[in-house]
Amino acid sequence: MQTRILATSDSAETAPDAEAETAKGAPKPSIKQALLAAIFAAAIVTIILLAFSWPTVTSEPKDLSVAAVGDQKQIDQITANAPDGMLDLKKVDSRAEAQQLIREREVYGAFIVGDEPEILTSTAASPAVAQQLNGIASQMQQKIDKQAISGMQDGMKEMQDALAKASQGPASQSPGGPQENPGEQAQAPTTSAMEVPQVTVTDVVPLNDNDSTGAGLAIAGLPLTIGGIVGGVLTSMIVHSRRMRAVAVLAYGAIGGLALTLVLQSWFGILQGNFGLDVLAAGLAVAATAALINGFVSLIGPGGIAIGAVLTMFIGNPIASLQAPKEFLAGAWGDIGQFLVPGASGTLLRDLSYFPDAPMTMQWWVLIGWFVLGIALILVGHLLAHSKKRAAVS
């Protein structure tokens, strides 16, 4: 009994010493570390804000490819009246040719100038550009109306002059000269002044009623990006075999593409066109991102998740031109965005839905290329891991 009491006493005395040693070995709280953590977090938030807001804040319409039917003088006049650098006009021979170029997504719209002026738009290609062209149509109509009013005023002046001349009576005319009819003199300018052309606007490829503003199609790329990241993170964490990760990515692409298309097309009605092709495009988009994340994880470990997420969400998504055309972005960023997964998948789904005549080869190959790269990185990581194991055993 005495021994037990002594043992308990000893342990009670040594416990505080152990806590003191532990506390002594632990790093002391430092205000420097707290400030560094705060600065690092603020920098990350700032970068994220810039990544998502910069393309919107700095966007402006420039070099928009638009067709024009008319003579060179009329085309030059359109360019002169439009904002500086906004339009890149392409002269075509007919209205039918302009319509076909719109359906192939070679141009965003067309100007048909002449006695019956018309502007062709395509809200399915870009509601923002269609709005710009509608604004130009209003300006053209105002200019025509102004010219018509000016012509009417000139006509009224001619009428007044003719009536004043007629009121002077036959004395002002030579006896043998021809007699003029004042009514005929007054009516001619009035008739011509009343014939005012009206600028019509025709939407060649409109959006469907379920997505009349295009907002649904614009945000459709976001679930594809997030879905690819989530799928990549989960498969890399749950599946430990590198080879089985490749199988998981393939399965996820098939299942995820089907599920997303069922929601976006069959339920919400945002996507249009061939259901099977939409499933393939959506599945390839999420599989490409998931494969890329798994590839980086297989090579460098869990830190690869951050690389894949930054490449797709914080770099690829802001310059994907999902809400505004690529011409709105500064420099060549719009074109660069089309070679990343979010940009290629967003453009491909838009073309499949509304522009079956448009060339889509580049978008398919971009998605296939990223998917193949991800699978290749997974296999390389698998081979490197096995070579390290063999070297450790030997």
Side-chain angles (χ1 to χ4, degrees):
M1 189 66 152
Q2 211 169 8
T3 307
R4 286 185 183 176
I5 293 172
L6 289 171
T8 306
S9 175
D10 291 342
S11 63
E13 291 176 3
T14 55
D17 294 339
E19 290 179 3
E21 289 178 3
T22 304
K24 192 175 181 179
K28 294 181 179 180
S30 171
I31 189 171
K32 181 179 179 182
Q33 291 178 345
L35 290 176
L36 286 176
I39 293 172
F40 183 68
I44 293 176
V45 170
T46 304
I47 292 172
I48 293 173
L49 175 64
L50 286 174
F52 282 93
S53 62
W54 170 77
T56 303
V57 173
T58 60
S59 66
E60 59 178 349
K62 61 183 184 303
D63 296 331
L64 298 174
S65 183
V66 178
V69 180
D71 57 41
Q72 192 59 46
K73 183 179 179 181
Q74 293 171 323
I75 294 175
D76 292 339
Q77 189 175 7
I78 294 172
T79 306
N81 292 331
D84 187 31
M86 175 182 172
L87 298 177
D88 180 16
L89 291 181
K90 180 184 296 186
K91 186 177 179 181
V92 296
D93 297 329
S94 65
R95 184 180 186 275
E97 184 180 355
Q99 285 182 308
Q100 185 59 30
L101 289 176
I102 292 174
R103 294 190 180 98
E104 294 175 356
R105 290 202 73 184
E106 295 293 332
V107 296
Y108 286 102
F111 293 98
I112 314 297
V113 292
D115 296 334
E116 298 180 357
E118 182 182 14
I119 293 182
L120 306 180
T121 64
S122 173
T123 52
S126 173
V129 175
Q131 185 178 4
Q132 295 284 341
L133 294 179
N134 279 320
I136 294 177
S138 299
Q139 294 175 359
M140 289 176 62
Q141 188 63 58
Q142 291 174 1
K143 188 173 183 180
I144 291 173
D145 293 342
K146 186 177 180 180
Q147 291 174 346
I149 292 172
S150 177
M152 190 178 298
Q153 291 174 344
D154 293 341
M156 290 296 294
K157 188 175 184 302
E158 290 179 9
M159 287 175 59
Q160 292 173 354
D161 293 342
L163 290 172
K165 184 178 180 181
S167 65
Q168 295 177 0
S172 62
Q173 299 178 5
S174 60
Q179 299 296 317
E180 295 181 359
N181 188 341
E184 293 179 358
Q185 295 173 348
Q187 189 173 358
T190 306
T191 303
S192 62
M194 293 300 295
E195 295 175 356
V196 181
Q198 297 295 313
V199 180
T200 59
V201 179
T202 304
D203 196 349
V204 178
V205 188
L207 290 160
N208 73 86
D209 295 336
N210 293 321
D211 187 25
S212 57
T213 64
L217 192 60
I219 65 172
L222 190 59
L224 294 178
T225 303
I226 295 176
I229 293 173
V230 170
V233 171
L234 291 178
T235 51
S236 64
M237 292 176 63
I238 296 173
V239 182
H240 300 291
S241 169
R242 289 175 172 82
R243 287 181 299 177
M244 289 300 103
R245 285 175 184 169
V247 176
V249 165
L250 283 170
Y252 175 65
I255 299 170
L258 178 60
L260 289 171
T261 308
L262 283 172
V263 173
L264 293 174
Q265 185 163 349
S266 301
W267 187 358
F268 293 158
I270 294 173
L271 299 181
Q272 306 293 311
N274 185 279
F275 182 83
L277 288 176
D278 288 341
V279 170
L280 183 60
L284 192 55
V286 296
T289 302
L292 197 61
I293 290 176
N294 275 277
F296 287 128
V297 170
S298 297
L299 281 178
I300 64 175
I305 294 175
I307 298 176
V310 167
L311 186 60
T312 53
M313 176 61 76
F314 300 123
I315 296 178
N317 196 69
I319 60 175
S321 303
L322 298 175
Q323 297 184 354
K326 59 186 179 66
E327 289 84 1
F328 278 40
L329 296 181
W333 288 109
D335 292 321
I336 294 172
Q338 297 304 300
F339 288 94
L340 299 175
V341 175
S345 59
T347 300
L348 181 58
L349 287 173
R350 186 182 295 271
D351 289 350
L352 289 172
S353 295
Y354 292 102
F355 300 93
D357 295 339
M360 308 177 204
T361 305
M362 188 192 83
Q363 287 78 26
W364 285 113
W365 279 114
V366 167
L367 295 178
I368 292 171
W370 284 109
F371 174 74
V372 171
L373 175 62
I375 297 298
L377 292 176
I378 293 174
L379 296 178
V380 170
H382 170 74
L383 294 175
L384 290 176
H386 274 265
S387 64
K388 289 179 181 178
K389 285 182 180 179
R390 286 194 297 267
V393 170
S394 61

